[in-house]
Amino acid sequence: MLKSKTFVKKTRSGGVMKVVREHYLRDDIWCGSEVCTECKQESTVLQKDACMESSLCSYPHYLVPDTNVVLHQIDILEDPVICNVIILQTVLQEVRHRSAPVYKRLKDIIHEKEKRFYTFTNEHHRDTFIEREPGESANDRNDRAIRVAVKWYSQHLKTFESDTDGLKVVLLTNDQGNKQKAQDNGLLVYKCEEYVKSLIANPELVDRLALSSDDKNEITSSKVLFPEHLPLSRIQTGIKSSSFLQGTFRASRDNYLEATVFVQGEGEDSTEVLIQGLQNLNRAVHQDVVAVQLLPRSEWVAPSSVVLQDEGTAKDDEDAEEEEGKVTAVEAARKPTGKVVGIIKRNWRPFCGMLNVSQIKESTRHLFTPADRRIPRIRIETRQASTLSGQRIMVAIDGWPKDSRYPNGHFVRSLGGAGEKDTEEEVLLLEHDVPHQAFSQAVLSFLPKMPWAITPEDMMKREDLRPLTVCSVDPPGCTDIDDALHCRELENGNLEVGVHIADVSHFIRPGNALDKEAANRGTTVYLCGKRIDMVPELLSSNLCSLRSNVDRLAFSCIWEINHKAEILKTRFTKSVINSKVSALTLSSLEVRFHMDSETHDPIDLQTKELMETNSMVEEFMLLANISVAQKIYDEFSECALLRKHPAPPPSNYDILIKAAKSKVKIHTDSAKALADSLDAAKVDGFPYFNTLLRILATRCMMQAVYFCSGMDSDFHHYGLASPIYTHFTSPIRRYADIIVHRLLAVAIGADTTYPDLMDKHKQSALCNNLNYRHKMSQYAQRASVAFHTQLFFKSRGILNEEGFVLFVRKNAIIVLIPKFGLEGTVFFDSKDKVSPNIVFEEEGPTLSVEQHKFHIFDKVKVTISLDDSNIQHQKIRMALIEPVIPGVSVPAPDTERPAKKQKLDH
Amino acid sequence: MAGLELLSDQGYRLDGRKATELRKLQARMGVFTQADGSAYLEQGNTKALAVVYGPHEMRGSRSRTLHDRAVINCQYSMATFSTAERKRRPHGDRKSTEMSLHLKQTFEAAVMTQLYPRSQIDIYVKVRVGLTLHLVRGIIAEIDFFVIVHKHVSIVFQQILQSDGGNYSVCVNAATLAVIDAGIPMRDYVCACTVGFVDETPLADLCYAEENGGVSSLALALLPRGGQIALLQMDARLHQDHLETLIEAAMTACKGVSKVLDEVVRQHLQEASVLTGE
């Protein structure tokens, strides 16, 4: 059946045009149910005995959620209890337009076989397609389409009533109007809450319900606390006429009544607008995109330096606190100040944190304190408060009505007991936005089928290097081996050296779910004793891992080198190798907080003891990376993915030069000069001096980043002193390497290209994601190290250790304890004591406390203990023992000195 | 805002077709009496009118005469109202000139031109939007106007009356029928179809939304019986490895078109023979 769709559309130039589209309505779209004998479907999704124990529906039934139910209650739909659900195409399309993350989650559910979610293409079905009626809004039309489809289903299934136990279709909607109309049509319809509450066997699901707008009124007072948000249309006109500014809302970590809005201006210039006070913050949450209005200049204020934690109880008693927050400011320090008038885009995600159980025992409403201090507390409703207290939980925000002091949310899930290792690991992964869920079915479906073997087609474009003796060099226990080497003498007396890298791009084809997942994860994250893989384990630890004595696909970079170590020839090829030995194992690496043996990025932890074999491997990996970078840049000057490390501005080195001035001279003209002077910097009787200098030097560096060659002109890698560089050698754990592999494969004609690979804007967007993921993974690693350090000190009690002053601040010194590689701050002013006389000198820099003057590199003695007064934010506390400053230093406590070579318990 | 989803997970396209399904194809031959051959063809919402004059003696510049075969002259034009935004010039712009040239090449490969040395065949095609068969009267008026202006050309007159994607292939299909109607011998039907490539799947017979949705499309004209390709045109970027699958899909689609065209011709003959009392 043919239908013609006609609609009028506005063109970009403002004209009106008529669009005519054909629409073919089909009669071969099947219902997907097991009971149906009429539909000629090959496989069915929906079960015959679709039983969910509900007190409302005692018969087997299929659920049909409407769009808003999917958008808001996706947490419920994800629960394994909910299955046999029909997702209509209308709903799927609407979700796709309204929320990309929910759409992705919905698709993942549909792919999961056990969940039995069936997509019914109702818009193309001749009996369920409806046309929009004159005067009907698009939303009303879609609601009607959903009702028509449900009606069709219930009539369709009625035909088979005799062989089923009264199988029915149940529509879930939260919209009162829609529900009423559905009832009038004789459909079975329930509100999502009603239905979920009726699931007697699974009462815990109720807590995961998002609060709908009707409920909000019940739990808040009628007092209006916040000004109304402006509608989007008025915000847009306001921004156009520049009476409002659009920017990202960044809450202050230290003061809950203060925030800045970062306004991106034209080109480089961007401004920050200060916002103070609850009324002005007007329900914006960290990372939201908001519209702000500047206050008149006379009302501008300076950022307050007060640390203010929201300790308020569940009552709306903010008045007293607010007075405190306003600090009269010095004229000069005043900054542009404004107020939030509307929210352009909410950026809410589920937050980790802990529950503050309400004092009233029977109360079901509790406040939740997120781990991130920038997020306000959230009011949730739960009946399991007593079980949840003391646990780390996740909560999602549902809304923030104008008469409520706190946003309303719902409980998503529990992560486990606070302070437990697994729980805390989960928390730090979530807080650093590291995707760490198990790989979805859709992703796993793209893995090669086992048993896997190399086929003749695989061999077509590959060189057979199996006869060569290839070996890998990796730390013991390493399961993702992505590089191997070989070296042999050629007949002409030269040497042939080959670097062989796992051919991950052979298994991960562009654009499929596996590829998208890997691109999103960006990198494998290594925590202490845990690894979050970028690609599923089958690839990372088996098929792509260059294990010994098995045939593996590789991407090889082979050089011909003469005995003066000059490169005569470079070539690249896809190959098959069989690693003969992985005998060279490294034993005495500092494994404790060792992160990554080949990261060439500055990391600020300990310098590692390097074995000579390891540094040899590194040299060749660097060479391979540089050779590949050159090759892909020559071939694709616009879209090569490269890595650069910008030279730091000279001022960055000031602190280093000043600090070293009294002992040695540091040259910072070039990376080479710096490296040489660091090598030469040795002070007799102070062996640790050189390491300290290096740590300081690393702090001066910039971050290395990925970029697309078509979008940038500066390619230089400062740290490696190379004019061009990229990442090629670790495709198992870095996505950038996979892209580089693909580029190189195209360059040598071994593989095909695809549009996104050649699109520099898309490449650039990908680079941004990779840089973000790398940064977050580093933060997560550090947080993991910090957590394990805390565990260590928890078991040790108070320790006395020697350390060195690494930095001098205005009111504190930062001390490095070489033995643990631990850094801590010794504060000289504290709330409960009278501050001593402190003088800070920029030149030097030095800090005088009473009579004593602290310099960088001074040796001090401190006590180290764990401060666990705040269970969500435990930290290491240090106090000074030596030099003894009366009134400041503490007496050395009596502790057993731990044995010298004690290992961490992790 | 997400872009259009050209192929859903369930395998349906924007307009409800599956990947290999063609649009509804309807045609009628002999719509004009004045012309030697004519045909009107609708493929989905793309509507084209083709008119053929000739073969006849060379007109205009005699220097173009070929001594061993006929010259084929094509003109493609779009009705000014055939697209959503009104076109300024119905023909003569670069796009139309290119399309005319493609048509010429296609029909030079298919028509047995060696049978008519020193003569000329004219093909005119016009594309138009929003009109259906019962409005053909209006179209005739426009065509007459064309004939007056272009007296020097003589055989096939093709016009696209409405455009909803696949202009080239619709023109070819319409012109084939018009040439057959004119009784000019051809090696075979020339059937054309556009195909696109989305998510590793070839889509047959693209509509306008798909053509503009970032699909790399390919137009192919086929002589279905022998499987010879008369013309293959692609402007988009596509990897070599996918070309074969795409051409295969296009050929299958063309064979589908040829079946419909064959039916139309047979039906037309039947009607004609009834009229002439045979």
Side-chain angles (χ1 to χ4, degrees):
Chain A
M1 191 159 96
L2 183 69
K3 274 265 178 188
S4 189
K5 271 198 276 192
T6 311
F7 52 94
V8 178
K9 209 168 122 182
K10 217 169 158 190
T11 59
R12 211 171 284 176
S13 54
V16 170
M17 68 182 193
K18 197 174 172 192
V19 179
V20 184
R21 292 272 172 274
E22 278 184 298
H23 194 171
Y24 293 84
L25 301 180
R26 321 182 61 104
D27 51 11
D28 61 348
I29 294 172
W30 315 129
C31 67
S33 169
E34 220 169 48
V35 301
C36 181
T37 46
E38 210 170 76
C39 293
K40 299 175 196 72
Q41 47 211 348
E42 281 160 14
S43 60
T44 52
V45 177
L46 303 166
Q47 288 167 309
K48 186 175 174 181
D49 50 343
C51 270
M52 281 174 274
E53 274 183 62
S54 164
S55 57
L56 282 175
C57 322
S58 49
Y59 34 81
H61 54 280
Y62 300 150
L63 292 177
V64 186
D66 79 350
T67 313
N68 282 320
V69 170
V70 174
L71 281 173
H72 298 135
Q73 311 289 4
I74 186 84
D75 287 335
I76 296 275
L77 293 179
E78 271 175 352
D79 196 282
V81 172
I82 306 287
C83 52
N84 286 305
V85 174
I86 299 164
I87 301 291
L88 301 175
Q89 188 199 3
T90 318
V91 173
L92 198 62
Q93 294 290 339
E94 273 194 298
V95 170
R96 184 167 177 269
H97 280 122
R98 299 213 352 225
S99 166
V102 174
Y103 180 66
K104 190 184 169 281
R105 285 166 75 181
L106 184 59
K107 288 250 280 203
D108 283 346
I109 303 176
I110 293 171
H111 274 287
E112 228 170 282
K113 288 216 174 62
E114 295 76 48
K115 291 285 284 171
R116 302 197 171 270
F117 272 50
Y118 179 70
T119 319
F120 181 65
T121 315
N122 64 319
E123 295 285 353
H124 295 322
H125 193 286
R126 66 187 302 166
D127 298 326
T128 55
F129 171 77
I130 53 159
E131 262 178 295
R132 192 163 148 190
E133 278 163 5
E136 191 175 34
S137 79
N139 277 336
D140 289 345
R141 184 248 161 226
N142 285 341
D143 284 345
R144 191 157 61 89
I146 292 167
R147 291 197 299 272
V148 168
V150 172
K151 180 111 194 159
W152 179 85
Y153 253 107
S154 43
Q155 274 164 1
H156 182 75
L157 293 177
K158 218 173 227 169
T159 6
F160 316 103
E161 215 165 22
S162 48
D163 15 316
T164 63
D165 319 329
L167 184 63
K168 291 202 170 77
V169 183
V170 174
L171 173 66
L172 292 185
T173 178
N174 284 335
D175 178 5
Q176 193 57 49
N178 193 11
K179 190 182 168 194
Q180 190 56 49
K181 278 183 195 153
Q183 270 166 347
D184 295 347
N185 286 350
L187 301 177
L188 268 174
V189 55
Y190 293 112
K191 282 199 167 186
C192 195
E193 284 84 6
E194 283 176 343
Y195 180 78
V196 172
K197 281 176 188 160
S198 78
L199 294 173
I200 5 168
N202 302 82
E204 75 281 357
L205 263 185
V206 177
D207 284 352
R208 301 180 63 173
L209 273 174
L211 297 172
S212 67
S213 47
D214 314 0
D215 298 354
K216 283 171 196 160
N217 302 331
E218 299 169 18
I219 55 170
T220 50
S221 58
S222 54
K223 189 178 147 202
V224 177
L225 291 172
F226 296 102
E228 192 89 55
H229 285 151
L230 296 179
L232 209 55
S233 56
R234 275 192 58 198
I235 294 177
Q236 272 159 351
T237 26
I239 290 172
K240 249 181 208 162
S241 64
S242 49
S243 51
F244 299 154
L245 295 169
Q246 174 178 347
T248 318
F249 185 87
R250 291 178 185 170
S252 155
R253 214 180 270 276
D254 301 322
N255 185 341
Y256 77 101
L257 289 174
E258 191 171 285
T260 51
V261 171
F262 183 79
V263 181
Q264 185 79 47
E266 305 251 322
E268 289 297 292
D269 62 48
S270 44
T271 47
E272 279 193 343
V273 179
L274 187 72
I275 309 215
Q276 268 190 352
L278 270 186
Q279 296 278 321
N280 290 344
L281 294 173
N282 199 1
R283 292 169 283 159
V285 178
H286 185 64
Q287 288 296 339
D288 285 348
V289 180
V290 297
V292 288
Q293 184 177 27
L294 285 181
L295 297 173
R297 201 169 269 269
S298 56
E299 289 175 38
W300 285 12
V301 290
S304 69
S305 50
V306 186
V307 175
L308 216 53
Q309 299 260 340
D310 185 3
E311 309 287 357
T313 53
K315 281 185 237 147
D316 301 324
D317 55 353
E318 82 294 348
D319 309 335
E321 293 163 88
E322 206 163 354
E323 289 304 309
E324 238 178 292
K326 278 186 182 160
V327 178
T328 39
V330 197
E331 192 74 24
R334 289 189 176 182
K335 287 178 81 180
T337 309
K339 63 175 181 191
V340 174
V341 292
I343 309 284
I344 295 163
K345 186 172 177 284
R346 288 288 193 187
N347 244 333
W348 290 340
R349 58 183 172 91
F351 301 103
C352 299
M354 291 181 70
L355 202 65
N356 306 21
V357 180
S358 166
Q359 260 81 2
I360 308 153
K361 223 178 178 185
E362 291 77 27
S363 172
T364 53
R365 286 167 208 149
H366 304 275
L367 270 187
F368 160 86
T369 312
D372 189 340
R373 290 205 199 96
R374 294 168 296 191
I375 308 295
R377 298 210 258 168
I378 303 164
R379 185 187 283 117
I380 65 167
E381 199 167 341
T382 176
R383 275 173 291 182
Q384 337 168 35
S386 50
T387 19
L388 293 182
S389 68
Q391 288 192 6
R392 291 271 197 173
I393 58 170
M394 287 192 82
V395 162
I397 305 186
D398 300 322
W400 196 340
K402 60 174 186 273
D403 49 5
S404 162
R405 169 73 173 76
Y406 296 107
N408 294 325
H410 68 272
F411 166 71
V412 178
R413 66 194 171 101
S414 167
L415 303 171
E420 278 167 32
K421 202 169 142 243
D422 291 345
T423 315
E424 296 302 322
E425 234 154 38
E426 176 94 12
V427 169
L428 72 93
L429 288 174
L430 287 166
E431 284 304 301
H432 290 96
D433 198 12
V434 176
H436 62 284
Q437 293 82 3
F439 289 98
S440 70
Q441 283 300 322
V443 170
L444 295 175
S445 69
F446 287 98
L447 289 176
K449 301 282 164 295
M450 294 304 279
W452 174 84
I454 298 170
T455 63
E457 291 95 79
D458 291 340
M459 291 302 295
M460 294 256 280
K461 283 171 180 166
R462 289 179 188 275
E463 246 176 82
D464 191 353
L465 301 180
R466 280 175 287 196
L468 289 177
T469 307
V470 175
C471 63
S472 58
V473 181
D474 272 289
C478 182
T479 55
D480 51 347
I481 307 167
D482 40 22
D483 48 55
L485 292 156
H486 88 269
C487 177
R488 64 169 174 178
E489 201 149 342
L490 294 175
E491 281 171 16
N492 59 10
N494 290 334
L495 288 174
E496 184 191 77
V497 177
V499 164
H500 310 278
I501 306 298
D503 191 4
V504 180
S505 62
H506 175 85
F507 297 102
I508 302 184
R509 303 310 299 165
N512 67 27
L514 176 58
D515 180 50
K516 282 183 187 147
E517 182 69 28
N520 179 38
R521 292 188 178 213
T523 175
T524 293
V525 180
Y526 295 85
L527 303 183
C528 298
K530 189 173 180 175
R531 186 179 85 196
I532 293 98
D533 280 326
M534 179 181 81
V535 296
E537 199 178 356
L538 177 68
L539 292 181
S540 68
S541 303
N542 187 356
L543 297 184
C544 290
S545 182
L546 303 177
R547 299 192 297 190
S548 54
N549 300 321
V550 281
D551 289 352
R552 285 288 174 256
L553 302 179
F555 210 143
S556 305
C557 175
I558 299 170
W559 301 280
E560 194 179 326
I561 295 176
N562 66 16
H563 283 276
K564 287 182 209 144
E566 288 164 344
I567 296 169
L568 305 174
K569 248 190 248 165
T570 307
R571 71 188 177 91
F572 307 97
T573 178
K574 288 220 170 185
S575 61
V576 181
I577 62 162
N578 190 326
S579 177
K580 293 288 182 296
V581 263
S582 66
L584 300 172
T585 50
L586 304 171
S587 48
S588 71
L589 262 178
E590 194 182 349
V591 192
R592 197 183 60 162
F593 296 144
H594 154 217
M595 297 175 168
D596 182 342
S597 64
E598 284 140 32
T599 286
H600 311 306
D601 309 329
I603 31 175
D604 66 345
L605 274 158
Q606 306 91 337
T607 46
K608 284 160 287 186
E609 262 181 79
L610 291 180
M611 298 289 284
E612 246 169 51
T613 38
N614 205 23
S615 76
M616 173 201 77
V617 174
E618 282 203 21
E619 286 297 318
F620 278 114
M621 294 306 149
L622 287 182
L623 182 59
N625 284 338
I626 294 169
S627 305
V628 171
Q630 193 60 50
K631 173 78 179 174
I632 58 171
Y633 177 61
D634 289 348
E635 205 77 22
F636 307 103
S637 59
E638 281 295 292
C639 56
L641 192 154
L642 302 176
R643 188 168 176 83
K644 70 171 176 182
H645 183 205
S651 60
N652 274 21
Y653 285 125
D654 286 355
I655 184 85
L656 179 67
I657 297 171
K658 274 188 208 163
K661 176 173 64 184
S662 59
K663 301 187 173 74
V664 290
K665 185 149 178 57
I666 301 287
H667 300 273
T668 57
D669 317 334
S670 67
K672 176 98 174 71
L674 178 65
D676 288 346
S677 50
L678 281 178
D679 285 343
K682 292 210 168 75
V683 174
D684 289 334
F686 192 0
Y688 204 68
F689 176 67
N690 190 278
T691 317
L692 281 173
L693 263 190
R694 280 177 198 275
I695 292 172
L696 264 189
T698 328
R699 298 286 166 89
C700 305
M701 299 290 173
M702 311 277 284
Q703 267 290 325
V705 288
Y706 296 110
F707 69 104
C708 172
S709 61
M711 308 291 280
D712 208 323
S713 55
D714 173 30
F715 294 180
H716 196 77
H717 196 290
Y718 179 80
L720 296 170
S722 168
I724 192 163
Y725 192 69
T726 194
H727 271 162
F728 168 73
T729 51
S730 298
I732 300 180
R733 55 192 178 80
R734 288 188 306 234
Y735 189 76
D737 301 51
I738 294 182
I739 293 291
V740 170
H741 274 230
R742 287 183 185 154
L743 286 166
L744 185 65
V746 174
I748 63 169
D751 206 345
T752 60
T753 172
Y754 57 99
D756 284 3
L757 191 65
M758 295 295 141
D759 184 330
K760 64 177 179 181
H761 298 285
K762 289 208 172 123
Q763 280 275 29
S764 189
L766 176 68
C767 287
N768 288 341
N769 181 45
L770 294 182
N771 290 331
Y772 169 72
R773 293 289 186 208
H774 275 262
K775 197 172 74 190
M776 287 328 250
S777 90
Q778 279 185 13
Y779 290 164
Q781 280 166 4
R782 277 182 219 168
S784 169
V785 169
F787 173 66
H788 279 82
T789 317
Q790 286 163 10
L791 277 188
F792 173 74
F793 285 105
K794 200 174 196 173
S795 60
R796 286 303 127 90
I798 298 170
L799 294 181
N800 305 327
E801 282 302 330
E802 261 179 20
F804 298 96
V805 177
L806 200 56
F807 290 103
V808 177
R809 298 269 185 255
K810 279 194 178 110
N811 59 351
I813 51 171
I814 292 166
V815 178
L816 178 84
I817 314 291
K819 194 168 143 197
F820 304 118
L822 174 75
E823 237 180 271
T825 313
V826 178
F827 287 100
F828 292 118
D829 51 349
S830 52
K831 283 176 219 157
D832 42 337
K833 274 197 283 186
V834 188
S835 351
N837 185 17
I838 305 174
V839 182
F840 178 72
E841 282 168 58
E842 193 81 50
E843 207 51 44
T846 58
L847 183 73
S848 305
V849 181
E850 301 290 341
Q851 267 68 54
H852 190 84
K853 200 172 203 178
F854 286 100
H855 296 88
I856 292 184
F857 303 142
D858 278 357
K859 193 185 246 187
V860 292
K861 216 175 220 178
V862 291
T863 65
I864 309 166
S865 59
L866 184 69
D867 175 6
D868 55 2
S869 55
N870 181 346
I871 190 138
Q872 286 211 57
H873 302 279
Q874 301 192 357
K875 53 192 169 207
I876 300 290
R877 179 179 281 173
M878 286 189 186
L880 196 67
I881 308 174
E882 262 173 53
V884 178
I885 305 171
V888 176
S889 60
V890 293
D894 261 345
T895 51
E896 288 170 48
R897 290 194 67 84
K900 264 253 151 105
K901 285 265 171 188
Q902 205 135 26
K903 283 264 154 69
L904 258 189
D905 47 349
H906 62 94
Chain B
M1 221 352 229
L4 289 172
E5 190 179 38
L6 293 173
L7 188 67
S8 74
D9 284 352
Q10 291 73 42
Y12 296 107
R13 293 155 67 173
L14 289 174
D15 54 6
R17 285 184 289 155
K18 290 198 172 166
T20 53
E21 290 173 344
L22 303 177
R23 287 180 287 177
K24 187 164 120 182
L25 207 156
Q26 289 175 304
R28 183 181 292 184
M29 292 166 73
V31 285
F32 301 127
T33 42
Q34 302 100 317
D36 292 308
S38 61
Y40 171 80
L41 186 134
E42 288 186 7
Q43 200 163 338
N45 271 339
T46 308
K47 296 164 192 184
L49 189 62
V51 184
V52 174
Y53 294 92
H56 55 70
E57 213 175 293
M58 284 303 289
R59 292 176 193 163
S61 62
R62 304 238 157 206
S63 56
R64 292 193 298 135
T65 311
L66 298 173
H67 294 276
D68 54 344
R69 57 194 159 94
V71 170
I72 293 196
N73 205 336
C74 285
Q75 179 147 6
Y76 164 88
S77 66
M78 276 174 89
T80 49
F81 48 82
S82 72
T83 48
E85 276 183 277
R86 195 175 171 82
K87 279 179 77 76
R88 294 248 166 81
R89 296 173 68 175
H91 59 92
D93 59 317
R94 289 177 66 162
K95 235 178 161 177
S96 307
T97 316
E98 189 194 355
M99 191 69 98
S100 305
L101 201 71
H102 285 149
L103 287 173
K104 184 178 149 115
Q105 285 167 351
T106 311
F107 281 92
E108 271 173 356
V111 173
M112 302 184 79
T113 46
Q114 72 277 13
L115 297 178
Y116 309 103
R118 297 166 196 237
S119 44
Q120 180 178 349
I121 302 174
D122 293 334
I123 306 179
Y124 297 84
V125 196
K126 189 161 191 127
V127 182
R128 184 178 288 186
V129 184
L131 299 178
T132 32
L133 266 176
H134 58 270
L135 280 177
V136 158
R137 269 169 172 275
I139 299 161
I140 295 170
E142 180 131 356
I143 301 235
D144 288 342
F145 168 73
F146 246 80
V147 176
I148 298 161
V149 176
H150 301 276
K151 261 194 183 142
H152 59 283
V153 270
S154 56
I155 307 187
V156 188
F157 193 96
Q158 278 173 306
Q159 298 197 312
I160 295 257
L161 302 177
Q162 173 174 345
S163 153
D164 185 23
N167 290 359
Y168 167 78
S169 36
V170 175
C171 283
V172 170
N173 297 335
T176 302
L177 292 181
V179 171
I180 291 170
D181 187 38
I184 298 168
M186 287 205 292
R187 292 185 174 84
D188 193 357
Y189 291 93
V190 203
C191 304
C193 200
T194 45
V195 283
F197 200 67
V198 171
D199 296 341
E200 311 277 308
T201 321
L203 303 184
D205 197 10
L206 302 182
C207 70
Y208 181 77
E210 289 169 334
E211 271 187 344
N212 281 298
V215 181
S216 36
S217 69
L218 171 148
L220 181 127
L222 185 78
L223 306 182
R225 232 160 296 181
Q228 295 115 321
I229 294 174
L231 188 113
L232 190 143
Q233 185 216 353
M234 187 168 71
D235 305 323
R237 210 172 170 137
L238 181 85
H239 198 273
Q240 198 182 333
D241 290 8
H242 300 141
L243 189 62
E244 210 165 303
T245 31
L246 200 52
I247 289 184
E248 214 140 275
M251 284 167 79
T252 322
C254 288
K255 282 174 191 158
V257 172
S258 93
K259 255 186 221 156
V260 182
L261 295 191
D262 194 56
E263 241 163 66
V264 171
V265 171
R266 279 172 203 282
Q267 195 176 351
H268 178 70
L269 277 178
Q270 215 162 19
E271 280 168 18
S273 54
V274 168
L275 282 178
T276 52
E278 282 167 29

